[in-house]
Amino acid sequence: MSIRTTCPYCGVGCGVIATPDGAGGARIAGDPDHPANRGRLCSKGAALGQTLGLDARVLTPLIGGQPAEWDAALDLVAARFAATLAEHGPEAVAFYLSGQMLTEDYYVANKLAKGFLGTANIDTNSRLCMASTVAGHRRAFGTDTVPGIYDDLEEADLVVLVGSNLAWCHPVLFQRLSAARAARGTRVVVIDPRRTATCEIADLHLPLAPGSDAALFNALLVALADRGAVDRGYVAAHVAGFEAALAEARASDPAMTGLPAGDLETFLDWFCTTERVVTVFSQGINQSSSGTDKVNAILNCHLASGRIGRPGMGPFSVTGQPNAMGGREVGGLANMLACHLELENPAHRAAVQGFWASPAMPQASGLKAVEMFRAVAEGRIRALWIIHTNPAVSMPDAGAVAAAIRGCDFVVVSDITQTDTTRLAHVVLPALAWGEKSGTVTNSDRTISRQRAFLPAPGQARADWRILAEVARRMGWGAAFGWQSEAEVFAEYAALSGIAGQLGRDFDISGLAGADYDALPPTRWPVGPRRQGGRFFGAGGFFTPDARARMIPVAPRPPVAATGPRYPFRLNTGRIRDQWHTMTRTGLAPRLTQHIAEPFVEIHPEDAAALGLAPATLACLTSPEGEAILRVAVTDRVARGQVFAPMHWTADTAPTGRIDRLVAAVTDPVSGQPESKAAVVAIAPLAPAWYGFAVSTAPMQPDATYWARARSETGWRCELAGLEAPADWEAWARALFGLPEAICLSVEDRIRRSWRLAFMDGRRVLAALFVAPEPVELARNHVAERLGAEDAGLLAGRPAQGVPDPGPIVCACLTVGLNTITRAIATQGLTSVEAIGAALQAGTGCGACRPELAALLARRLEAAE
Ligand SMILES: Nc1nc2c(c(=O)[nH]1)N[C@H]1C(S)=C(S)[C@@H](COP(=O)(O)OP(=O)(O)OC[C@H]3O[C@@H](n4cnc5c(=O)[nH]c(N)nc54)[C@H](O)[C@@H]3O)O[C@H]1N2
Ligand SMILES: Nc1nc2c(c(=O)[nH]1)N[C@H]1C(S)=C(S)[C@@H](COP(=O)(O)OP(=O)(O)OC[C@H]3O[C@@H](n4cnc5c(=O)[nH]c(N)nc54)[C@H](O)[C@@H]3O)O[C@H]1N2
Ligand code: SF4
Ligand SMILES: [Mo]
């Protein structure tokens, strides 16, 4: 039987239809009836079926790393939190949560912390993600309200993407925008220091200087004013602060952006002369020491031009995590209460406390993520519960954060698998994963969708909210935490939102309090007596005392860390197409590691030449905080003086690739959001004595200076490098593979000083290692596929003559390789992405690789000219 549910990855919130196969797996398809995706899925969503296995799961509670009974674990957690509370007060306990928790989980955690433990020290990874948008929205609108809906992207004539790599991070929205552009000629502007895959549909790319967005949007505000594009009527009726914001904008210097005058002018002209404009913004804006101001600089332009809350118009913050929006609604952040009520507003506080009949409520905001881990390090927080997030990897200054967690008196982590963070915990609690748990999430356009279980609960795993409620019961609050199902939790939350609605807040879903939870279709809030769904603010009605929006004067500020002789490069960080954050789930899908299988740093060709960095060698990056070793990707997609590295690798997958070890814990003064996109680093070549590539049917824990491992269809693959070559390669390889007895076939090439070793059990190849003094060149996917074969043909490193090597996989959905595509372009004379699709099917799945296909075509045409 098929079950309708929602994708657990990005904030697009695509509907998924899962059909269990009865053996623990499921067939996954896009839900044609879900308004977010209408049947589409991206490569990550489509590969969800490959992530359902149980072999990597934690399926019993662990105390001190040893399996334990639930009762023992829960008693211990309750006792330690109670003791810490009694001895050191509510400031000494803390929760660190996640925008990936379901709304019901979030509601219960928040009720326990704020209402019963009486601590406001409950913050979430949304602090690293959406906090600047939340703060910007609240300053401008009075509440954290996203005015628009997804349809606006299709109804706009101009879409400006600022600090958003939509093609890779919100692929289904990217597809919707691409289709609209093809159909009606929507203009697209991409504002990003880097030429990303998203630029493939850009009519204009503005590679502005890192962190200079506020100067750009100030220039836009001035242009709107000087060219008659201000909506005087809207401003007069619904906006306050126009003159002050404009005066401050006039004082700032557009030259800060470093953009060519002609390109800047084109942007200003397009924006001023187009009524239907949507400005999409994401982490290039939020993750900045001036993120809140940047958000307001964008909102200012939409408020001044009155282009907000009408079809095809508005500022549009796209959320990252599947329930980033739900977490904001339910009050996950240290300064919020549920339903967009404010912790520091006495009337709001009293309303929530009354509704919960709670014994204790904090009077002031708690510690925000970066401050929270500082307090952990300083021993001010002595009991910490981390749920559904991996801060030892994803927090800035991650080395210090890991040390703080390790040093804390008592740490509980709820997760589904072992991570860099669980390994530091006293107690690990096994949670139900996607497909097993049930609840609701809210996507970027305020649509609430159900996640539904379609698999049985494995082992002893339990739903996150039930674990929290069990601890609350053990602390003596059973009556307030006595729900029997997530439907009951949701109903309580919906009822509370009715009170918020009465208090004049935007978030009211009281209309869903009695709804049929099981059958709940995707529903956009609000759903209350005052209003239903739709857009906000087209006719004003802001949630400020005078119902007017506020324009905020913004003085642009550069990133806090300045580059200089010691750290000459600006390090930008972010995401890749086929991996999700710390890879605990996407890393299980072999199909998703075929696109990019190891951590890398993108560097401009001239910088690479000056540093003596050849493509595919390794570079050592050093910041004031730490060090990393990354594969060198030479590309002019980044500007000179700037480098880009992804955030996904961990101690588990590539210990020297943990990028947040380099990022300083510098934050925005208003939102507390860290500046994850503007670290400073020095770069030097690493000079390994050898490079290696290994495949094995079993996981490898190499003893090498550099390694990065990933799953393959047949087992594992691993990139390696070392500063000193072992004396005996065969012995070293045996230790690496744990194969002391296997038969070894080895080939030494004395001229190239390279080694190839295969290990067999008499019949099948179990493992192979390739070593060379320079980066090993071979057909990696081919070698990985041949593992397990009954001959050692894989030692050739590439397919036999006459059998073409598909090369690195470009289209993850249909597994089509680079070589196959370039060959077909050349031999079949293909000239369009559609023609490639017709010939090879590449790009016809999720479409996320279409920008790459277009780039291959462009390169081919260039070469032909
Ligand atoms: N494949 C994939 N998709 C994801 C995720 C994932 O892990 N993998 N994670 C999800 C989550 S939680 C989030 S928050 C979103 C993030 O989605 P995005 O924000 O789109 O992704 P990022 O790669 O973090 O950063 C976006 C861009 O900001 C640019 N940038 C850096 N500095 C500046 C600047 O000063 N100004 C401007 N204008 N741009 C700048 C970077 O070059 C980068 O291309 O993605 C979501 N979707
Ligand atoms: N340098 C740099 N750092 C960044 C960013 C950046 O752009 N650059 N981006 C930041 C942003 S926007 C974000 S959102 C964060 C993301 O960073 P994290 O939240 O730390 O990353 P995830 O890998 O998504 O962690 C989710 C964890 O939840 C676990 N999990 C999965 N399902 C369940 C479940 O049902 N229950 C429980 N209890 N656990 C579960 C997973 O195994 C995993 O360990 O990273 C931030 N860090
Ligand atoms: S775009 Fe991809 S990752 Fe995001 S919700 Fe849809 S299928 Fe999931
Ligand atoms: Mo995020």
Side-chain angles (χ1 to χ4, degrees):
M1 202 185 62
S2 297
I3 303 281
R4 277 175 208 275
T5 181
T6 311
C7 176
Y9 298 124
C10 85
V12 177
C14 295
V16 167
I17 294 184
T19 314
D21 61 10
R27 194 153 41 78
I28 300 295
D31 181 350
D33 297 329
H34 196 289
N37 58 319
R38 300 259 174 249
R40 298 176 179 96
L41 288 180
C42 77
S43 51
K44 294 183 298 303
L48 274 164
Q50 287 196 335
T51 67
L52 300 173
L54 297 179
D55 57 335
R57 291 286 293 278
V58 175
L59 293 174
T60 68
L62 304 174
I63 299 177
Q66 298 305 312
E69 295 299 324
W70 267 113
D71 272 336
L74 293 169
D75 286 345
L76 179 62
V77 174
R80 290 300 297 258
F81 270 77
T84 308
L85 212 54
E87 221 170 301
H88 303 285
E91 277 75 47
V93 299
F95 288 73
Y96 184 61
L97 311 179
S98 164
Q100 298 169 62
M101 289 168 72
L102 302 176
T103 296
E104 293 74 5
D105 301 331
Y106 241 135
Y107 178 81
V108 175
N110 205 47
K111 182 174 179 181
L112 174 61
K114 288 183 184 141
F116 289 78
L117 297 174
T119 182
N121 287 341
I122 169 166
D123 212 42
T124 110
N125 64 0
S126 286
R127 189 65 66 190
L128 319 180
C129 182
M130 304 312 303
S132 295
T133 289
V134 173
H137 281 162
R138 290 173 71 204
R139 286 205 302 198
F141 307 150
T143 44
D144 174 23
T145 314
V146 173
I149 61 176
Y150 287 157
D151 297 355
D152 292 328
L153 289 172
E154 286 153 343
E155 293 172 25
D157 294 316
L158 171 64
V159 173
V160 182
L161 299 164
V162 200
S164 156
N165 186 5
L166 205 72
W168 281 11
C169 296
H170 299 89
V172 166
L173 282 187
F174 180 76
Q175 288 175 45
R176 287 179 62 169
L177 176 59
S178 304
R181 180 172 179 265
R184 68 199 297 282
T186 317
R187 267 190 183 138
V188 175
V189 177
V190 173
I191 302 173
D192 192 313
R194 213 164 48 107
R195 200 173 75 246
T196 60
T198 307
C199 295
E200 303 295 341
I201 62 158
D203 298 282
L204 177 68
H205 170 216
L206 298 178
L208 79 181
S212 66
D213 303 80
L216 179 63
F217 282 87
N218 273 354
L220 178 58
L221 183 59
V222 171
L224 288 165
D226 292 352
R227 301 178 192 191
V230 168
D231 183 338
R232 296 278 164 198
Y234 188 87
V235 171
H238 305 302
V239 179
F242 173 81
E243 292 301 337
L246 179 61
E248 187 68 65
R250 286 194 192 283
S252 81
D253 181 3
M256 263 181 89
T257 61
L259 292 169
D263 286 351
L264 178 60
E265 175 51 34
T266 304
F267 170 61
L268 300 180
D269 178 49
W270 287 357
F271 199 111
C272 288
T273 57
T274 313
E275 177 78 352
R276 288 177 168 237
V277 187
V278 173
T279 306
V280 171
F281 56 99
S282 186
Q283 299 315 338
I285 291 294
N286 290 336
Q287 289 174 337
S288 157
S289 57
S290 59
T292 310
D293 278 355
K294 288 171 164 184
V295 169
N296 285 109
I298 294 171
L299 302 184
N300 284 347
C301 294
H302 281 272
L303 289 169
S305 58
R307 296 177 192 152
I308 184 166
R310 287 184 285 147
M313 294 176 222
F316 203 137
S317 144
V318 280
T319 47
Q321 300 176 89
N323 202 27
M325 191 75 118
R328 283 148 68 178
E329 291 152 16
V330 79
L333 294 165
N335 47 342
M336 298 298 296
L337 287 170
C339 310
H340 286 180
L341 294 168
E342 289 168 9
L343 182 68
E344 296 192 358
N345 178 321
H348 291 184
R349 216 165 45 225
V352 177
Q353 185 162 14
F355 181 83
W356 281 342
S358 84
M361 280 283 257
Q363 310 285 304
S365 299
L367 298 176
K368 303 185 175 102
V370 169
E371 301 164 338
M372 182 184 279
F373 284 100
R374 254 181 218 139
V376 172
E378 290 164 10
R380 285 181 281 129
I381 287 173
R382 291 157 179 269
L384 173 65
W385 192 344
I386 297 166
I387 306 178
H388 210 324
T389 176
N390 193 357
V393 181
S394 58
M395 282 285 294
D397 202 2
V401 168
I405 298 172
R406 187 181 293 112
C408 186
D409 285 357
F410 187 65
V411 178
V412 188
V413 179
S414 303
D415 207 293
I416 59 168
T417 188
Q418 289 281 13
T419 69
D420 289 15
T421 305
T422 58
R423 292 194 182 93
L424 304 171
H426 299 96
V427 179
V428 177
L429 301 175
L432 290 180
W434 182 79
E436 301 153 7
K437 63 183 183 176
S438 161
T440 54
V441 291
T442 313
N443 72 4
S444 297
D445 88 339
R446 286 181 277 114
T447 299
I448 298 172
S449 299
R450 281 292 317 277
Q451 269 195 23
R452 296 184 177 88
F454 56 89
L455 294 172
Q460 298 184 39
R462 292 188 183 174
D464 282 306
W465 74 265
R466 284 192 195 271
I467 301 173
L468 286 154
E470 270 300 318
V471 169
R473 190 174 67 76
R474 283 170 162 77
M475 295 184 76
W477 301 308
F481 292 82
W483 313 280
Q484 295 303 306
S485 68
E486 37 283 321
E488 290 179 18
V489 180
F490 184 81
E492 179 177 316
Y493 173 49
L496 175 57
S497 78
I499 298 176
Q502 283 160 21
L503 286 166
R505 306 313 278 176
D506 58 339
F507 185 79
D508 183 346
I509 55 164
S510 54
L512 297 178
D516 179 351
Y517 186 76
D518 285 337
L520 190 70
T523 307
R524 183 176 298 113
W525 65 260
V527 196
R530 283 158 218 83
R531 57 193 300 170
Q532 306 266 327
R535 299 175 176 87
F536 278 95
F537 310 140
F542 293 92
F543 297 93
T544 50
D546 57 7
R548 283 171 180 273
R550 301 286 184 271
M551 283 175 63
I552 308 287
V554 170
R557 305 192 303 277
V560 167
T563 52
R566 193 129 178 243
Y567 300 106
F569 289 91
R570 175 72 64 201
L571 171 66
N572 175 7
T573 67
R575 297 160 165 77
I576 62 172
R577 192 188 77 192
D578 288 350
Q579 292 299 343
W580 179 260
H581 298 160
T582 69
M583 301 200 294
T584 62
R585 289 174 293 162
T586 44
L588 303 175
R591 205 205 279 168
L592 295 181
T593 58
Q594 294 181 358
H595 184 236
I596 297 175
E598 68 177 325
F600 61 89
V601 56
E602 288 183 344
I603 183 164
H604 190 274
E606 287 167 26
D607 288 330
L611 291 168
L613 286 173
T617 58
L618 292 166
C620 189
L621 277 69
T622 317
S623 84
E625 280 66 33
E627 255 185 29
I629 301 174
L630 305 170
R631 186 73 60 182
V632 174
V634 178
T635 168
D636 64 1
R637 287 179 170 270
V638 290
R640 282 211 66 176
Q642 298 176 28
V643 295
F644 173 84
M647 60 170 292
H648 305 289
W649 278 269
T650 65
D652 211 46
T653 46
T656 63
R658 295 170 53 200
I659 213 64
D660 272 305
R661 297 209 53 180
L662 298 174
V663 176
V666 171
T667 56
D668 176 282
V670 183
S671 67
Q673 179 152 356
E675 185 147 77
S676 315
K677 300 253 181 286
V680 293
V681 291
I683 305 178
L686 186 82
W690 60 276
Y691 289 86
F693 176 72
V695 289
S696 167
T697 47
M700 298 163 255
Q701 275 288 343
D703 173 19
T705 312
Y706 171 84
W707 60 265
R709 67 176 185 186
R711 302 234 178 192
S712 68
E713 297 285 355
T714 51
W716 295 81
R717 53 190 283 177
C718 189
E719 299 287 346
L720 297 151
L723 294 180
E724 274 172 52
D728 180 347
W729 276 114
E730 186 183 323
W732 192 85
R734 285 190 185 282
L736 171 67
F737 299 129
L739 294 173
E741 308 282 315
I743 301 161
C744 175
L745 305 174
S746 71
V747 185
E748 185 187 358
D749 179 339
R750 283 175 194 275
I751 297 167
R752 297 188 54 233
R753 289 185 298 133
S754 69
W755 281 87
R756 295 162 182 235
L757 305 101
F759 292 86
M760 304 190 64
D761 63 0
R763 206 165 62 85
R764 294 176 317 122
V765 182
L766 300 176
L769 172 66
F770 301 78
V771 184
E774 63 284 330
V776 179
E777 258 190 68
L778 44 79
R780 286 171 162 69
N781 288 333
H782 165 77
V783 170
E785 268 166 35
R786 297 286 300 158
L787 193 67
E790 297 198 357
D791 62 73
L794 91 175
L795 276 187
R798 52 196 76 257
Q801 259 185 346
V803 183
D805 167 27
I809 299 303
V810 173
C811 172
C813 300
L814 294 142
T815 324
V816 189
L818 179 68
N819 299 349
T820 310
I821 297 164
T822 40
R823 247 188 326 260
I825 292 174
T827 58
Q828 304 181 34
L830 307 177
T831 54
S832 68
V833 172
E834 283 65 36
I836 298 178
L840 304 170
Q841 288 192 300
T844 60
C846 80
C849 66
R850 291 169 66 94
E852 274 166 87
L853 299 179
L856 289 176
L857 284 167
R859 229 178 288 154
R860 170 76 192 171
L861 291 179
E862 256 169 47
E865 268 161 20

